[in-house]
Amino acid sequence: MSAGHPVIRTPDQRLRVFVSSTLKELAAERHAARSAIERLHLAPVMFELGARPHPPRELYRAYLEQSDVFVGLYWERYGWVAPDEQVSGLEDEYNLCPPDLPRLMYIKSPAPGREPRLTELLDRIRTDDRASFKYIESSQELEVLLEADLAVLLAERFELSRAATTGRTTPVASLATASPEPAVSLPSPLTPLIGREEDVAAVRAMLVGGARLLTITGPGGIGKSRLAIAAASGMSESFPDGSVFVDVAPVHDRAGLTGALARALGVRDTGDAPLDEKVSTALGNRRMLLLLDNFEQALSAAPAVTALLAAAPALSALVTSRSLLRVSGERSYDLGPLPADTAAALFVERAHAVRPDFEITPANANDVARICAALDGVPLAIELAAARIRVLPPADLARRLDRRLPLLVGGARDLPERQRTLRATIEWSTQLLDAPERTLLARLGVFEGGFSLEAAESVAAASVAETAPPDSSVADTLSSLAALVDSSLVRQHDDMHESRFSLLATVREYALEQLEREGALPDARAAHAAYFAALGERADPELEGGAQHDWVMRLGNDAGNLRAAARYLLGQRDWERAAHFAWSLYVYWWVAGLLGEVRGWMEQLLASGDPLTDRTRAIALYYTQAIAFWQDHEGTVVTRLTESADLFHRSDDADGEALALISYALAVLASPEPDPAAADQAMENSLALFRTRGDRWGQAMALVMLGRVALLRQQVDSALGNFEESLTLARENGDELGVTIAQHHRGWARLLLGDPAGATSDFAACLALSSRLQHVEGVAYALEGLVAVAALGGDVVRAGRLLGASRTLRERTGLHNAPAFSFHQLFVDRMLAAGADPGAFAVAVDAGRALSVAEAEAEAKGHEAHGDGSPRQAE
């Protein structure tokens, strides 16, 4: 860097991304690029952020030399050529880009008015081995691709820098020999584990020594979960495929356990096969450890654990429970209380959260020892007591415990001694609360898997008298919740978008008992269901537009509460509200892979024998038939979907009728004797209904289906037009799911029309957006599209590796039985028939099966295609 160059200052000295483009014509794209860069906490270097509109050469040379990544955006304009200059600032920025700077180039199309000098520049860029370039069609597509590409680039650069400092000789980009990334999903405790070193070592030794089912037993609050997490987190050598945490506390039966396992493993319940079979297939021969936490409420489901261990021979299970499972092959580890000195150390560590200056002194040492002894060395009880040290000095705290605990313990003789101590400590803690705080704690017991402040306020408000001031309930809830957090009765943890709260299983159990004792449990459950039913109403339109991603993430956080609300409505035989609730969250169930679970709810509704409204029956028929159109063993799906559409029509629900017609068309096309004409007519009717309603989301879906019918008739040009129109509507609507679906289909149409470069661009964009949306099926489809591109270009290794990765992804996420709208096998067969080495292809498929999802995505993103379809490596 020359001495005279000004230094660019950025917040926290973050990595700088230089964005080069013309300004006016690409204003929307520059805004999108800035958003993508800032979401990754990088610093965009853009002249509209403070520089002059036509900076002198020295200025943007300084900017370039101090930047870490070069991003080029190009469309039709070549840009202004300053006096006495031979090239525009746009080309000069590219020329002056330091040779070691990573270059990400995005070319917008179509560009019928592209200026000749820009065409010449783009020809240079395409032949530059240092540059990676992709085609885009919109600012939204650029934002998704740039964020994903920068993330991959940063990961690769980090790995390379680590290799330079650690002496590693295998770069991360060489995935041929990379080991699969383990699937670790263990919680990260916010506080250190104290005094359990010997227990951790003993549990690990038992697992390594051959205990495939090990149950850690002990009373509530003794630290079973913390011990299990600590033991599992250090066993990557014994379990290279990872450790997965499963919260069994909300589980009520064997089906519930299977569902919890599926969710923890990322297996989608799409309803096309029994979920337990999908879970077994997903585990296969993976050397993995399942951590099943809080099993005491689900002991009747214990045989499912042994069945799973029998089906997956490399699997082990570490269980925490107050009681043994009492099944064959079970080993146990009984966890006892903390020793006196360790208990005192834990007390001090937890006390620091409310009084950072607190320490044990000669004056308070005996009092701290009395406190720990009174609490029987139970960690959770010690933590609850330590939270009071801010207002009660150790001497006062010890006296109160000496006076209250014996009385409280005496009322629960049916519990083990230390369990009585913990329950008494919880009750003692609640008696130190104000009445509104105690009431709120009890009502929070109805939440499953955590809750937001808004949800807590809503459920709490149902217990506030109508005579209370209008805003008092919100203020009271916030202050009461803060007091519960301060008392360690409620845990707070921040999500990306909001604060979330939760109760430990033992505290939640206590809270529910208080509700039941007071006769308030039915009202609390009704208020809980009402809140989440209303949340579904709010989410319904948002799930089809620009807020789709945020709502899918938010609803995912509340998945346990959504299930609880559905169970409540079904248990009340409130079939109409249950069906409406399920319908309002249709897009979420689809993206999250939960349609199979919803199908079970609707089967219960149909089997009730109760009279149903037309719309309720229409919804139930849709959910039970639409996701199984390819499994029509009885030949009734078409008839029942016809009935669903008719019932929606009678209910004046045009959107429901139109959606049912789409599924009817799918069923007709999937039948043994497809009827494209009938499907075409149904889709035309569906599209007309959506257009009448002004429903752009529905129109986009219908247009995709019309395109599929056209492909079945080998009318590829017509199909491409449908997919183009669908994509335009989805982008205008901000519907990311719709964009992925339309782009995937357009990719196939382009490939069938001999445009592998365009197909690659579509499949790559589909991959990036599906990954962002956590839409696993979209990821699988995109990988398979790229398999076809590679096979067309004769790249045996790339085609095989991506095919192996997609097969593993489908198996491990429960999507392997679903009908795939993908033609990749056709291209693979043609490649092999043309003389490709089948042995090399088989080896590549096996290697691809070992890739993690992240590795497969990185490999797929690491290539683009030349215009003739032959692959090229993007640097």
Side-chain angles (χ1 to χ4, degrees):
M1 186 191 309
S2 58
H5 289 163
V7 176
I8 308 170
R9 296 295 180 189
T10 66
D12 302 321
Q13 290 299 295
R14 293 176 293 175
L15 293 176
R16 307 177 183 103
V17 181
F18 185 97
V19 180
S20 172
S21 77
T22 50
L23 298 181
K24 290 185 179 180
E25 70 161 347
L26 290 170
E29 284 70 20
R30 290 178 70 84
H31 178 76
R34 180 181 178 183
S35 297
I37 293 164
E38 290 180 339
R39 262 202 308 275
L40 292 171
H41 301 288
L42 309 178
V45 178
M46 308 175 76
F47 292 114
E48 61 262 47
L49 303 183
R52 288 167 292 193
H54 301 297
R57 208 165 189 251
E58 273 300 297
L59 182 58
Y60 58 71
R61 173 180 287 174
Y63 277 4
L64 278 165
E65 289 182 355
Q66 296 175 58
S67 294
D68 302 284
V69 181
F70 181 93
V71 171
L73 311 178
Y74 309 98
W75 191 12
E76 292 186 325
R77 305 279 82 83
Y78 174 69
W80 178 69
V81 180
D84 302 322
E85 295 288 346
Q86 300 300 312
V87 297
S88 69
L90 183 73
E91 182 167 0
D92 203 33
E93 287 169 355
Y94 176 75
N95 294 339
L96 293 172
C97 178
D100 59 343
L101 214 61
R103 306 177 186 202
L104 303 176
M105 309 297 196
Y106 302 89
I107 304 171
K108 187 172 180 179
S109 62
R114 182 167 290 154
E115 295 176 351
R117 294 200 66 178
L118 179 58
T119 299
E120 294 174 5
L121 174 60
L122 294 180
D123 287 342
R124 283 180 56 205
I125 291 173
R126 291 189 187 97
T127 60
D128 187 345
D129 290 337
R130 299 168 298 177
S132 166
F133 70 90
K134 292 181 178 179
Y135 293 95
I136 60 168
E137 295 183 12
S138 68
S139 58
Q140 296 95 326
E141 183 179 7
L142 169 67
E143 186 170 347
V144 171
L145 288 176
L146 179 57
E147 183 178 358
D149 291 343
L150 283 171
V152 172
L153 176 64
L154 291 175
E156 290 175 346
R157 295 283 156 163
F158 172 75
E159 288 290 338
L160 290 172
S161 66
R162 186 167 64 177
T165 58
T166 62
R168 286 176 51 178
T169 57
T170 306
V172 71
S174 178
L175 296 177
T177 57
S179 60
E181 178 184 337
V184 178
S185 62
L186 297 175
S188 299
L190 299 178
T191 55
L193 182 64
I194 295 176
R196 294 297 192 188
E197 293 80 6
E198 292 183 4
D199 297 300
V200 169
V203 168
R204 288 176 178 171
M206 293 179 73
L207 289 169
V208 172
R212 293 190 59 212
L213 173 56
L214 176 59
T215 303
I216 301 175
T217 59
I222 201 69
K224 301 182 296 296
S225 300
R226 288 297 308 273
L227 171 61
I229 292 169
S233 63
M235 301 200 67
S236 57
E237 290 187 7
S238 299
F239 301 102
D241 289 315
S243 300
V244 173
F245 180 89
V246 184
D247 183 9
V248 188
V251 168
H252 303 277
D253 50 27
R254 182 166 182 161
L257 176 62
T258 302
L261 286 166
R263 291 188 292 275
L265 293 166
V267 175
R268 266 48 180 177
D269 184 6
T270 51
D272 58 314
L275 191 56
D276 55 352
E277 292 181 8
K278 289 190 171 193
V279 170
S280 296
T281 300
L283 289 168
N285 291 316
R286 297 164 80 180
R287 293 173 59 193
M288 179 177 284
L289 178 65
L290 290 182
L291 200 170
L292 308 176
D293 194 38
N294 295 309
F295 210 96
E296 58 272 355
Q297 302 295 334
L299 293 176
S300 62
V305 179
T306 55
L308 194 60
L309 292 172
L315 181 71
S316 294
L318 179 60
V319 180
T320 72
S321 176
R322 296 178 207 166
S323 305
L324 289 171
L325 275 60
R326 302 196 182 283
V327 293
S328 60
E330 181 182 28
R331 301 272 301 279
S332 66
Y333 186 85
D334 186 27
L335 185 60
L338 290 172
D341 57 341
T342 304
L346 175 64
F347 182 90
V348 173
E349 195 276 333
R350 298 299 189 262
H352 283 165
V354 293
R355 270 192 59 186
D357 62 339
F358 178 80
E359 299 295 343
I360 294 181
T361 67
N364 66 25
N366 288 337
D367 293 322
V368 171
R370 284 171 56 202
I371 292 168
C372 295
L375 298 175
D376 284 339
V378 176
L380 179 55
I382 292 171
E383 180 175 342
L384 293 174
R388 294 294 176 182
I389 204 67
R390 179 167 56 187
V391 293
L392 291 173
D396 288 349
L397 188 55
R399 280 194 295 271
R400 285 173 177 260
L401 290 173
D402 285 343
R403 185 169 63 249
R404 295 295 299 163
L405 285 188
L407 297 174
L408 296 171
V409 169
R413 292 297 178 187
D414 57 325
L415 295 173
E417 179 183 353
R418 292 192 180 90
Q419 185 65 20
R420 295 201 304 271
T421 299
L422 176 61
R423 296 295 293 277
T425 307
I426 294 173
E427 189 163 347
W428 168 80
S429 296
T430 62
Q431 289 177 354
L432 296 176
L433 300 171
D434 294 338
E437 295 162 0
R438 288 197 297 272
T439 300
L440 177 61
L441 178 64
R443 296 188 77 83
L444 295 180
V446 299
F447 288 104
E448 293 195 3
F451 51 91
S452 65
L453 174 60
E454 179 189 273
E457 288 170 344
S458 178
V459 171
S463 66
V464 176
E466 294 183 1
T467 56
D471 297 327
S472 64
S473 63
V474 174
D476 289 347
T477 299
L478 182 57
S479 60
S480 295
L481 188 58
L484 295 176
V485 171
D486 288 344
S487 302
S488 293
L489 289 164
V490 171
R491 303 295 171 95
Q492 179 179 1
H493 37 97
D494 291 332
D495 185 67
M496 287 181 63
H497 304 291
E498 62 182 357
S499 286
R500 300 279 299 177
F501 304 88
S502 62
L503 277 66
L504 290 177
T506 308
V507 178
R508 180 173 182 269
E509 184 179 288
Y510 174 85
L512 287 172
E513 287 179 2
Q514 302 313 299
L515 279 179
E516 195 162 16
R517 187 175 67 183
E518 297 163 6
L521 184 57
D523 288 344
R525 291 205 186 280
H528 175 274
Y531 171 78
F532 285 101
L535 187 68
E537 291 275 4
R538 286 162 52 195
D540 189 357
E542 302 291 342
L543 285 166
E544 296 179 359
Q548 183 182 81
H549 177 267
D550 289 344
W551 272 97
V552 167
M553 298 300 108
R554 176 177 179 176
L555 293 168
N557 284 337
D558 274 316
N561 289 310
L562 298 177
R563 291 187 183 89
R567 284 199 306 270
Y568 174 82
L569 295 173
L570 294 170
Q572 295 294 306
R573 304 180 79 83
D574 192 344
W575 309 126
E576 185 171 358
R577 287 180 68 204
H580 183 72
F581 175 62
W583 196 243
S584 67
L585 294 175
Y586 172 74
V587 174
Y588 168 69
W589 307 128
W590 180 7
V591 175
L594 297 172
L595 287 173
E597 192 168 352
V598 181
R599 175 185 180 179
W601 300 341
M602 297 299 102
E603 286 173 344
Q604 181 180 340
L605 188 155
L606 290 173
S608 69
D610 294 345
L612 305 173
T613 66
D614 285 348
R615 187 171 183 272
T616 297
R617 181 170 175 80
I619 292 170
L621 285 171
Y622 179 86
Y623 272 124
T624 56
Q625 304 302 312
I627 63 174
F629 61 82
W630 63 92
Q631 294 178 317
D632 190 11
H633 305 304
E634 301 175 3
T636 59
V637 169
V638 170
T639 301
R640 289 174 179 168
L641 285 173
T642 300
E643 182 186 355
S644 176
D646 290 343
L647 289 170
F648 275 124
H649 180 76
R650 280 161 46 180
S651 305
D652 292 324
D653 188 337
D655 287 340
E657 179 185 359
L659 199 57
L661 287 172
I662 290 179
S663 294
Y664 165 84
L666 279 170
V668 167
L669 291 175
S671 65
E673 298 180 2
D675 187 348
D680 203 8
Q681 184 60 55
M683 293 314 309
E684 291 288 357
N685 293 341
S686 173
L687 182 59
L689 286 168
F690 280 130
R691 282 176 172 161
T692 299
R693 294 277 297 164
D695 187 333
R696 292 188 296 180
W697 180 86
Q699 291 176 59
M701 294 296 106
L703 285 163
V704 165
M705 286 309 307
L706 278 170
R708 289 175 70 155
V709 173
L711 283 182
L712 186 65
R713 291 175 161 176
Q714 298 184 355
Q715 299 169 347
V716 185
D717 286 315
S718 176
L720 179 61
N722 292 133
F723 300 147
E724 297 271 12
E725 188 177 353
S726 175
L727 182 58
T728 298
L729 282 169
R731 281 177 173 158
E732 290 175 353
N733 206 33
D735 172 18
E736 295 184 348
L737 177 63
V739 169
T740 65
I741 293 170
Q743 278 201 302
H744 167 253
H745 285 81
R746 189 179 70 170
W748 284 114
R750 283 177 159 180
L751 197 61
L752 293 171
L753 288 171
D755 180 12
T760 299
S761 178
D762 276 339
F763 293 139
C766 178
L767 176 64
L769 195 51
S770 296
S771 179
R772 162 179 153 80
L773 199 58
Q774 297 182 19
H775 181 45
V776 178
E777 191 170 16
V779 172
Y781 277 139
L783 290 175
E784 288 158 355
L786 293 169
V787 167
V789 175
L792 179 63
D795 192 334
V796 175
V797 173
R798 177 168 163 78
R801 287 171 64 80
L802 294 180
L803 180 59
S806 69
R807 286 177 177 173
T808 296
L809 176 61
R810 285 192 177 277
E811 289 171 2
R812 292 187 177 180
T813 56
L815 298 171
H816 53 289
N817 288 325
F821 184 76
S822 181
F823 310 113
H824 62 281
Q825 194 59 47
L826 172 66
F827 288 86
V828 168
D829 292 343
R830 287 177 178 173
M831 177 184 70
L832 294 174
D837 184 352
F841 181 71
V843 169
V845 171
D846 286 342
R849 279 187 166 278
L851 296 177
S852 69
V853 176
E855 288 170 335
E857 290 182 10
E859 179 149 328
K861 293 171 183 174
H863 290 73
E864 292 292 342
H866 288 300
D868 60 0
S870 61
R872 66 182 290 273
Q873 179 70 36
E875 299 299 327

